[in-house]
Every structure is written in structure tokens, then in C-alpha cells.
Amino acid sequence: MSARRDAEPITIVMAGHVDHGKSTVIGRLLVETDALPKGKLAQVQATCRRHARPFEYAFLLDALKDEQAQGITIDAARCFFRTARRRYTLIDAPGHIEFLKNMITGASRAEAALLVIDAKEGIRENSKRHGYMLSMLGLRQLSVLVNKMDLVDYRQDVFEAVRRDYAAFLQRLGIEPASFIPVSGMRGANIAARAAETPWYTGPTVLEQIDGFQRREFPSSLPFRLPVQDIYKFTDQGDDRRIVTGTIETGTIAVGDAVVFQPSGKTSRIRSIEYFNGPARRAAAAGEAPGFTLDTQIYVKPGEWMVRADDRPMQVGTRFRANLFWMGHAPMIRGKAYKLKLGALRSPVQLIEVLAVLDATELGTVANKQQVDRHDVAEVVLETPKPVAFDAASEIEQTGRLAIVDDYEIAGAGIVLAGVAARDSTLQEHIRAREVAWKSSAIPRTERTAAYGHGAKFVVFTGADEARGEACARALERTLFKMNYKAYYLGMESVTRGLDADLRVPGDVRDDHIRRLGELARILTDSGQIFITSVSGVDGYDLRTLEMLNRPHEILTVCVDENPSAGLHTDLRLDPALDAEQAAAAVCRLLRRKNVIMDYII
Amino acid sequence: MNTMTHLERLEAISVHILREAYREFRSLVMLWSIGKDSTVLLWLARKAFFGHVPFPLLHVDTGFKIPEMIAFRDRVALEWHLDLIVGRNRKAAETGKTFPDGALTRVECCRALKSEALKHTLSGEWPRLRMDRAAGRLVPEENPEAFSGVIVGARADEEGSRSKERYFSARDRRSEWDVGDQPPELWRQYKTDFAPGTHVRIHPLLDWTELNIWEYIERENIPVIPLYFDRGDGKRYRSLGCAPCTGPVDSTASTVAEIVAELRTGKFRDIAERSGREQDKEDGGGLETLRRGGYM
């Protein structure tokens, strides 16, 4: 082994407008740093001879056949080289607008960027768009290469004009570039060696500049944030650990720290930090992906955040403003179900409002748009059906980042600007609109109650024990029916296979099932019946949704589990010792107490 | 600021990807070629899942593998409690439709014995063997299920086409790869939603180089086949494949530390790893042609 270890390697992305010469600069870097595997240069030169094409440095990168045919980089290709200081991974991001999602993929993996601008052609649309993308992606370590200086006779005034205009643009994005370097990829000017043609330039060469870039450090001084990726309980070989896992985004945590899970609000304490084949750890920090066992057995789901109880909590809400970059072929529209990915969370999400569409190249605002088109950068309001936890990106960049999935594809990416007070959630708006439009029956509710001898009610059995829930619900239907009450049981399965058969949206269709069940309850309770159902695996939010949708009629919730999950508050919790008949009788007693059914009728 | 070493960073990314795959795909399998890369991948799975490997390992056996590889495979499978599945192209082997039999070119042979065997083994159409750990031997598998998520140890530095791969990469029903239209990956968000019928390759080692692999083997003390080391004749294998198409290289490196030194500053720092693989040289983009057709 060598006595002196290199500095740790870093990843750099090459960005810039199409045909501004990124691949040529990279090809030249690879040759100058002697980075090509033996035979690679000869192989590409031989291919050029065979196809009767002059050799270009760019061909070294264009490893794929169809790319050479088109002459443009279609994806972010990686190559590797080293300087005296350290090793590098260089990602060649495509400059063509059609391949912006590939540029983003490349840039999001990088720690620093080289942005290439053609001296002769000057600043073009994607020079600016890429600059904007780099700032949104959080990549602020940037050097601008003013390329093809040989085509403008290495004139200082041309270089200075590009520098002045582009520096002004970057300033508006909050980026201060490390340097502007006049280069020629083709001639090798200022790549590895200082060019005699640019005596007026005193800054670093490209190699000197990249050796000056810093590696990305993980922000351990910010509040602790762990997106809960999964919870494992592998029982093989007698393992009884229940392990919460994820990659720590920010902050540090230690054994014994009190933690809060958001948005559920559940609390516990770190019992141990788990790591396979390594010494026991007392603490873990941003960037690491360990496991955690907790002091108490609490039920948390993947997608929640684990934060430290003594840190500032995350915001929790259903609505937030975001800056979104759209890559989907189809525009983002209102009323369509999308899937949100934020940390480890996956949630249905809707576009509520387009506040502004930014022109990424001019940083101006485009006039009133109702949708977000491909390659638009927009400020939007998004809403999730259930509360989610997030940070504003201005406070914690790492935990304010989101992606939007449209029909299996990641179509949008963006950052959370701020939470929006959910004074009017979509559900409430919907119910209000529905009730305004609702044509009430000619028979008043009081007359119906008098005629039937009982009031209307929506009775929901819930809990993890699905079979018991259904048995109790059916027993209640039979009991009430025998007493001449108008009671009707319908199981969730009958709804999903029937009324809900058209629901095939990607993501969580369960929320739609709940919604339709609630609408069905609104109709059946309006007809004066006692509508009974059983649904398993619901949480407090689902029950509240059912309660709201069933308004103006009333709901009665019954939990069949001995130990319901925290946050699930029901009107009645059944004693596990009761059989279905006894359970039905217990529910009847409660219905009597609530004056839904009346004793004197019997 | 938390300053992690490069290997620690690579490990954390790979672990994250493996957990993401396990979270999203119910019928998941990991390819295990018995070579150093996929053995590191297997080790990373034990990291991700705290000593467990909660999905089966699939080895596509061409029948021309170096015998020590098979012995190593079976020993490790029993030691680490692995759910090992073995698939192969029996028909080609039985009818002599292979390169060593003189019936096919090298690339055609790879396609038949690896790509075809893999495709039909993943889908469950061709018979599979499964390790019966109690008996310590492979037995025919009843009712093989189809796998929709396949974890593969490809590295971006191996060869041009691999440098364009995603961590999560969709293949259509015919195992084809649309290089020009790949999903974006950013901020640890990957494409994990797929239309029914799609199968997905997951590449947790994409950012690793050959040197990183050996540095990690050294750091973690991961067992590898002795074929990688010089055992006295001044030769060792740098890349393992089928015996007829993979040759040893001249090297006296006999320990992991010596291999690391050889790659870092020694004789192999400028020579591509797959230079010993003959099928790559057969047509202009041999490996790319194979990969589009489902080669890993």
C-alpha cells in the first residue's frame, strides 16, 4: 500500500447547453489525466477509422452506439479519473432539453458542477436552465468553463462578456461560482496546463479548480431527521430485534435519546443503534444508514419521520406550497391523483393551485397557467388527504425535497416552500359543496324516525382482527333486524369489487375506498337505515373522514381489538371475551343510550 | 458536519437501495455469480438487513463455471443461511449448442447460457434447483414463482453501457432496456412504481469501482474465492466467468491487501477489468448488445 492516501474522491457533473462541448472537455480531461484504460483510446480511434470519421475526444465517452449516431449525449454517463490530489467520478449530463431528467439524475449525484458555455454561441437557454436546476438541486459548488475559446481567437472581451452576464444570472439564484475559466476542450487550453493564448487569464486551470472543490459533508449540526424506510423483525436464527431503519438526512442521535415519530406523534426512546459486522455504536449521524431499536413497542409505519424530542419538530399539515419542476410527458393538472414521495413517505397528492410558472431561463413569471407543462418550473399548492410531515427547504433543505409520481413515473421534483394553513381542506370543501347541492327527501327525518321506530346511524366496526370485526357486525345486523329495525350490513370487499371497481389509480387507492364508503353511508343513513360495516386497518384519520362524509347523520365506531393502536379513538371498545352475539348486544345498549333505538319499541 | 469515508458513503447508498428494493418488491431475487462483486453485494444485503438475507439468491450456472466456484457457493449458502436457487439452460447443455462445443460464437453462447437461462429462470418457466439447507444439497423446486425485482451487482466503471444504468432500471416483458428513456433519480428517490408485467433490475453497486470492491472486501474481511489470488504460479483471476472464456492474468498478488495495492498504484491501475473477457471483443459493442437482450 502507498504510504500517502489520496484525498477522498468526489463526483462532478458537467452541465451546459447542447453542443457547447461538454463531452470534448471530458474526453480531454481523461486523456490529460492519463485516465483511459489501456486500449480504450486505440479502440475508439480504430472505430473512427472503420467508420471513416475523424477522431474526436467526445467519442471516448459516447460508449453507446445510438449516441454516436445522433451525436448527442442521451444519458448521464460516468467516467473516472484521478489527479495528484484524489480520484474523481465525472458525470456527463446531457445538454438537450429532451434529456433534462437525465441531467437532473446526473447532477443530483454530484458534489460540484462544471458548467460549459460556448464562447462563440454565448449563453443559451439550457445554460440558464441548468444553472437554475443546479440551484434547486442544492448544488452550489460551481465553476463555469467558457469553452471553444479557440474559435474566438482567445479574446478576453468575449470571455468577459459571458462572465458578466452569466455571473449576474447566477447571483439571482444565490450561486456564487468558484471561477470562470476560458478553455478550449479541442486544443486543451487551460484544462491541465495554462494556455499561452490566454496570458490575460490568471485564475486556475480546470484541474486546479476541481482539486479545489470540497466534498459534500453531511449536515450533522441540523435537527435530527430520519425518514423511516422500514421496520424489520426477522425471526430467523432466534433474532427478536424489532429494528427501525432509514438513512439519516440531518443531525445526530445517541442511545437514550427521546424520539418523536411524525406525523403520528408517537414517542419512544433509542434503546440501541444496530449495525452489522461492526463495533457497537452509541451514536449515529447524517449520511449513515443504521438501524434503531426502541425502548417501547410502538406501532410506526414506513414513511413517518423519526425526530429527536429535544429538536425543533417538523411541520405537519395537508397543504403546502412547493416549487416544482415537471418532467412528465403529460402536464400536471388539477383533480388528478398523483403520488407524493417525501423522505420515505408515499402519499396520494393533488394539485390544488398553480400560483406561478417561472421561466427558468429568465427567472420571470409566465402569465396565468392552470397546469404545469413538461419542463415548466412552477410554484404550486399541493394537498395530501392525510397530514404529512415536512420542513420548509429554506430551513432544512434535505427534508423539504419531494418527488411526484404520475402513472408509475417520477414526473416532478421540487422543494417545499411553506406549509399552508388547512382552513379549507379539499374534503371540507367537497362536503360543503355536496350539502349545498343535496336535494333533501320530501319526508323529513323526524317523520322517518317516528315511522321506523329508530334513528339513522352509521356503525363502523374496526380493528386489526378482520374476521372478528365482520362477525360482530353481522351479528349486530341480525340482532337489529330481529327487532324490526331497518339495519343493513355491507362489507368493504363488496364495495371495492363493485362500486369501487373503477379505482385503479396508482398509489394509495385505499383513501378512495374510504371516501366512497363514506358517500354510501351518507345515502343509506339519509334513507333512515342503520348502516353497518367493518373495515380493518383504518386509523383515526380514516374514521374522521368517514364521520365527516356521513354528515349530517351520525356515526358510531366500535373497536374489536384488545389493544388498539394509539390515536384510534372509538366510541366503544369491545371486551375480547365477548362473542359476536354478546358484542352485538353491547353495541345495542350503546345505541339505546344514544337514543338511536328506543327501549319502549321492543 | 459528519465526514464519512468514501467506502462508508458507498455502503450507506447501497444499503439504502437494498432496503428500498425490499420495501417495494414482494417477489425479489438477488443474482449471485459467486464473483467478488456479487459477493460484496450479498454482504451489503447482510448489512442492510442486520445479518439476514430476506430474499433468495439466484445463480445461473452455465455448466462451464470453474468447479471451485460451485464449492464456494454451496459452502457460503449453508454458512449464511441463504435461500439459494440455481437455474441453467439444460437444453443447450444437453444438445451441445454452446461455444465450447463449437456450435455458437462466444456472444451467442453468452446469450443462450446466461441471458436465456436467466430470463426463463426468473419467470419460473424453466426448472430450478433450490438449496435444501437441512439436507445440504440442491433439490428441484416445486412451482417456481416469477420474480419481478432482480438485484444485480453491475458497476458503472465496468464498461460503457453500464455507466448509463439507473439504480432502479425497468425492463419490459421481453427483458429489453430502453437506454434513451430512463427515469430520473434524485435525492434518494427512485422509480419504484411499475406497470404490471414490468420487471425491474436494481443496481446497488453502480457507484463502486473495482478498487472500492477490493477495499471493502479488505475492510469487512469478506470471504472470496481463492481463484482471485496467486497461488504460486504467478497467475490469478481478476474477473470470473466461464472457464473457456475467462483467463487468469499475470500477477503475484496473493492477498486482498496486495490486490488493493496492485489496483491503486500497481500494474493494473490502467488496465480494464474485463480485458480478460473474450466475448466483449467479438463485435463493436459486445456487452451492450448482450445487455439490451437481457444480459446482466
Side-chain angles (χ1 to χ4, degrees):
Chain A
M1 266 195 275
S2 61
R4 195 188 62 84
R5 295 288 292 263
D6 293 346
E8 294 284 340
I10 71 168
T11 302
I12 295 178
V13 64
M14 297 288 287
H17 199 75
V18 66
D19 283 340
H20 282 198
K22 293 186 302 296
S23 301
T24 305
V25 171
I26 296 174
R28 176 64 79 166
L29 272 172
L30 294 181
V31 171
E32 297 281 355
T33 55
D34 204 17
L36 295 166
K38 270 185 187 130
K40 183 82 177 176
L41 184 60
Q43 183 200 330
V44 174
Q45 284 170 333
T47 308
C48 288
R49 272 197 304 279
R50 209 161 49 241
H51 296 284
R53 294 180 69 168
F55 168 75
E56 288 181 28
Y57 284 99
F59 292 162
L60 292 170
L61 280 183
D62 296 347
L64 292 178
K65 289 175 187 168
D66 58 354
E67 218 178 76
Q68 288 186 15
Q70 279 184 37
I72 49 174
T73 309
I74 57 170
D75 207 320
R78 274 168 261 218
C79 49
F80 303 86
F81 67 94
R82 83 168 81 67
T83 64
R85 178 168 154 77
R86 63 183 160 206
R87 290 171 180 273
Y88 290 90
T89 300
L90 197 59
I91 298 181
D92 183 21
H96 196 275
I97 181 111
E98 283 304 303
F99 305 125
L100 213 47
K101 62 179 181 172
N102 298 335
M103 180 268 168
I104 282 175
T105 303
S108 77
R109 285 177 181 156
E111 295 161 273
L114 294 174
L115 194 141
V116 179
I117 298 176
D118 184 328
K120 191 160 186 229
E121 211 175 82
I123 298 161
R124 295 293 303 275
E125 186 190 346
N126 282 324
S127 316
K128 289 187 168 181
R129 197 185 293 268
H130 283 187
Y132 186 89
M133 291 303 146
L134 295 177
S135 97
M136 195 161 109
L137 287 165
L139 199 70
R140 307 232 155 71
Q141 192 163 228
L142 168 73
S143 171
V144 181
L145 311 185
V146 182
N147 189 29
K148 305 193 189 179
M149 286 299 292
D150 53 315
L151 299 184
V152 296
D153 300 325
Y154 299 95
R155 277 166 49 198
Q156 186 178 6
D157 61 323
V158 176
F159 170 75
E160 291 296 344
V162 172
R163 167 157 61 184
R164 188 186 56 237
D165 292 350
Y166 201 70
F169 173 79
L170 289 177
Q171 195 179 16
R172 291 159 69 195
L173 297 171
I175 298 180
E176 197 178 324
S179 59
F180 280 80
I181 310 177
V183 302
S184 166
M186 194 67 88
R187 308 274 165 230
N190 291 329
I191 303 283
R194 203 158 293 280
E197 295 87 346
T198 55
W200 42 267
Y201 175 73
T202 55
T205 64
V206 176
L207 285 184
E208 286 166 354
Q209 177 58 63
I210 60 174
D211 275 348
F213 284 143
Q214 305 290 313
R215 284 174 87 226
R216 193 203 310 268
E217 305 287 334
F218 297 97
S220 50
S221 53
L222 291 170
F224 176 78
R225 303 284 191 250
L226 175 92
V228 177
Q229 193 176 11
D230 223 331
I231 295 105
Y232 299 136
K233 181 107 169 58
F234 299 114
T235 50
D236 188 32
Q237 300 168 70
D239 194 344
D240 62 356
R241 293 171 298 175
R242 190 162 177 277
I243 305 177
V244 176
T245 63
T247 303
I248 304 170
E249 286 285 0
T250 55
T252 59
I253 192 144
V255 171
D257 282 348
V259 291
V260 180
F261 290 86
Q262 291 192 280
S264 73
K266 290 171 191 171
T267 59
S268 192
R269 199 171 279 278
I270 301 295
R271 178 201 294 265
S272 69
I273 296 175
E274 301 287 326
Y275 186 78
F276 173 73
N277 194 43
R281 296 186 179 193
R282 299 291 301 169
E288 298 169 14
F292 302 92
T293 64
L294 304 174
D295 265 354
T296 46
Q297 292 297 317
I298 55 167
Y299 178 71
V300 289
K301 288 191 228 166
E304 292 207 59
W305 295 85
M306 185 168 84
V307 309
R308 243 168 59 183
D310 59 352
D311 270 337
R312 175 161 47 90
M314 302 178 80
Q315 296 184 52
V316 173
T318 55
R319 272 194 184 199
F320 52 88
R321 268 191 308 123
N323 254 356
L324 207 61
F325 168 63
W326 196 249
M327 295 166 271
H329 289 276
M332 189 184 202
I333 53 171
R334 281 152 63 165
K336 184 171 174 185
Y338 296 95
K339 179 167 163 181
L340 170 72
K341 288 179 150 192
L342 199 167
L345 172 86
R346 288 99 163 93
S347 163
V349 71
Q350 277 196 57
L351 173 67
I352 298 298
E353 199 177 348
V354 181
L355 298 171
V357 173
L358 300 176
D359 181 341
T361 63
E362 296 305 326
L363 301 185
T365 306
V366 180
N368 281 343
K369 277 185 81 165
Q370 291 305 303
Q371 61 181 35
V372 186
D373 290 311
R374 186 168 162 86
H375 301 142
D376 274 353
V377 176
E379 188 181 330
V380 297
V381 176
L382 300 176
E383 188 188 274
T384 54
K386 293 184 192 183
V388 296
F390 53 83
D391 286 301
S394 57
E395 290 177 1
I396 303 182
E397 194 167 17
Q398 291 77 5
T399 50
R401 293 168 168 167
L402 58 93
I404 304 283
V405 178
D406 179 14
D407 196 22
Y408 308 119
E409 301 296 332
I410 292 183
I415 52 174
V416 177
L417 298 173
V420 175
R423 60 186 188 285
D424 275 322
S425 78
T426 306
L427 183 63
Q428 283 167 324
E429 277 168 23
H430 163 76
I431 291 168
R432 190 178 307 121
R434 183 192 70 185
E435 291 307 311
V436 167
W438 195 282
K439 291 240 187 333
S440 295
S441 166
I443 296 136
R445 203 201 301 196
T446 46
E447 277 184 44
R448 227 183 263 279
T449 304
Y452 293 167
H454 63 87
K457 199 81 174 179
F458 178 27
V459 184
V460 181
F461 286 80
T462 183
D465 190 344
E466 203 170 341
R468 178 164 153 81
E470 186 180 332
C472 294
R474 286 183 176 282
L476 177 65
E477 181 192 27
R478 172 60 66 185
T479 305
L480 291 170
F481 183 77
K482 277 201 265 186
M483 295 190 283
N484 284 326
Y485 295 142
K486 297 197 169 13
Y488 177 64
Y489 168 82
L490 186 69
M492 195 67 184
E493 182 76 353
S494 313
V495 183
T496 54
R497 291 297 169 88
L499 196 59
D500 293 349
D502 58 322
L503 288 179
R504 279 186 292 111
V505 266
D508 195 0
V509 295
R510 179 155 185 93
D511 290 315
D512 288 292
H513 293 315
I514 293 290
R515 191 190 66 77
R516 292 206 183 175
L517 186 65
E519 295 288 357
L520 192 58
R522 167 70 176 90
I523 295 167
L524 290 172
T525 48
D526 200 51
S527 75
Q529 302 190 69
I530 299 171
F531 175 41
I532 307 160
T533 193
S534 63
V535 283
S536 63
V538 295
D539 56 23
Y541 188 86
D542 292 325
L543 290 183
R544 209 177 83 80
T545 302
L546 289 175
E547 184 267 324
M548 285 170 67
L549 282 165
N550 186 52
R551 285 178 196 172
H553 303 285
E554 287 168 357
I555 194 169
L556 185 91
T557 53
V558 183
C559 181
V560 299
D561 289 351
E562 192 174 359
N563 295 307
S565 52
L568 190 67
H569 301 290
T570 52
D571 298 310
L572 178 65
R573 188 182 303 170
L574 288 175
D575 184 332
L578 300 181
D579 67 17
E581 304 299 327
Q582 293 165 326
V587 177
C588 279
R589 281 195 297 277
L590 184 61
L591 287 172
R592 260 180 221 115
R593 264 208 316 278
K594 291 189 176 271
N595 292 323
V596 176
I597 55 179
M598 284 145 266
D599 280 322
Y600 59 84
I601 295 289
I602 302 173
Chain B
M1 287 289 166
N2 187 24
T3 311
M4 296 166 76
T5 67
H6 190 60
L7 279 186
E8 285 169 345
R9 290 174 191 222
L10 288 174
E11 179 191 79
I13 293 170
S14 301
V15 159
H16 182 87
I17 292 166
L18 285 165
R19 289 178 183 157
E20 202 74 349
Y22 181 62
R23 178 180 174 186
E24 296 287 346
F25 298 98
R26 282 296 143 236
S27 58
L28 190 63
V29 68
M30 179 184 276
L31 295 194
W32 186 28
S33 74
I34 331 298
K36 63 186 191 318
D37 296 348
S38 58
T39 303
V40 163
L41 186 61
L42 173 55
W43 187 266
L44 286 164
R46 300 180 83 207
K47 282 264 174 190
F49 307 109
F50 306 96
H52 305 272
V53 182
F55 35 71
L57 278 294
L58 171 62
H59 179 227
V60 175
D61 187 0
T62 60
F64 292 106
K65 296 290 176 192
I66 302 162
E68 284 165 272
M69 294 172 72
I70 304 301
F72 178 84
R73 176 193 76 188
D74 293 350
R75 180 174 68 77
V76 171
L78 292 173
E79 250 171 51
W80 292 357
H81 294 252
L82 305 179
D83 181 8
L84 175 69
I85 294 175
V86 176
R88 63 186 299 186
N89 187 341
R90 288 189 193 177
K91 196 161 161 243
E94 281 160 15
T95 57
K97 289 256 185 307
T98 68
F99 168 74
D101 290 310
L104 299 176
T105 65
R106 291 181 201 272
V107 168
E108 287 165 349
C109 184
C110 272
R111 192 175 287 140
L113 297 190
K114 292 189 193 166
S115 308
E116 287 296 309
L118 176 65
K119 198 188 317 186
H120 297 291
T121 305
L122 287 176
S123 69
E125 294 162 85
W126 288 3
R128 295 174 186 159
L129 298 172
R130 203 153 190 159
M131 177 63 82
D132 178 342
R133 287 207 299 267
R137 61 189 170 83
L138 294 165
V139 295
E141 187 186 11
E142 307 283 334
N143 306 317
E145 58 166 332
F147 293 111
S148 59
V150 187
I151 307 172
V152 190
R155 301 189 334 257
D157 77 325
E158 284 177 279
E159 175 270 342
S161 70
R162 290 189 182 182
S163 72
K164 312 218 155 179
E165 275 287 7
R166 293 292 195 261
Y167 297 125
F168 286 79
S169 178
R171 297 295 197 273
D172 66 15
R173 282 171 206 273
R174 291 163 299 145
S175 289
E176 285 184 3
W177 179 36
D178 187 351
V179 190
D181 187 22
Q182 298 199 73
E185 291 185 337
L186 72 165
W187 301 329
R188 298 196 190 105
Q189 298 294 1
Y190 314 117
K191 175 179 159 76
T192 49
D193 299 87
F194 295 93
T198 322
H199 83 255
V200 182
R201 294 193 183 174
I202 300 127
H203 302 116
L205 292 184
L206 219 48
D207 300 328
W208 295 59
T209 63
E210 185 189 10
L211 174 60
N212 298 148
I213 293 285
W214 283 109
E215 287 170 333
Y216 192 69
I217 289 170
E218 186 180 29
R219 190 189 94 172
E220 295 285 324
N221 201 14
I222 302 170
V224 290
I225 306 189
L227 289 168
Y228 284 112
F229 307 116
D230 169 32
R231 287 175 292 178
D233 58 355
K235 288 186 184 301
R236 67 175 194 87
Y237 284 88
R238 191 173 170 199
S239 167
L240 289 179
C242 296
C245 292
T246 314
V249 292
D250 290 326
S251 161
T252 55
S254 61
T255 63
V256 176
E258 284 171 17
I259 291 176
V260 169
E262 194 176 65
L263 289 167
R264 205 178 267 155
T265 52
K267 61 178 291 188
F268 286 133
R269 59 176 282 181
D270 295 327
I271 299 173
E273 178 188 347
R274 290 184 66 94
S275 56
R277 298 283 197 106
E278 292 297 328
Q279 74 267 37
D280 294 9
K281 299 170 186 164
E282 219 165 56
D283 79 303
L287 197 51
E288 188 203 326
T289 312
L290 284 171
R291 283 175 69 70
R292 282 174 192 258
Y295 185 84
M296 299 281 175

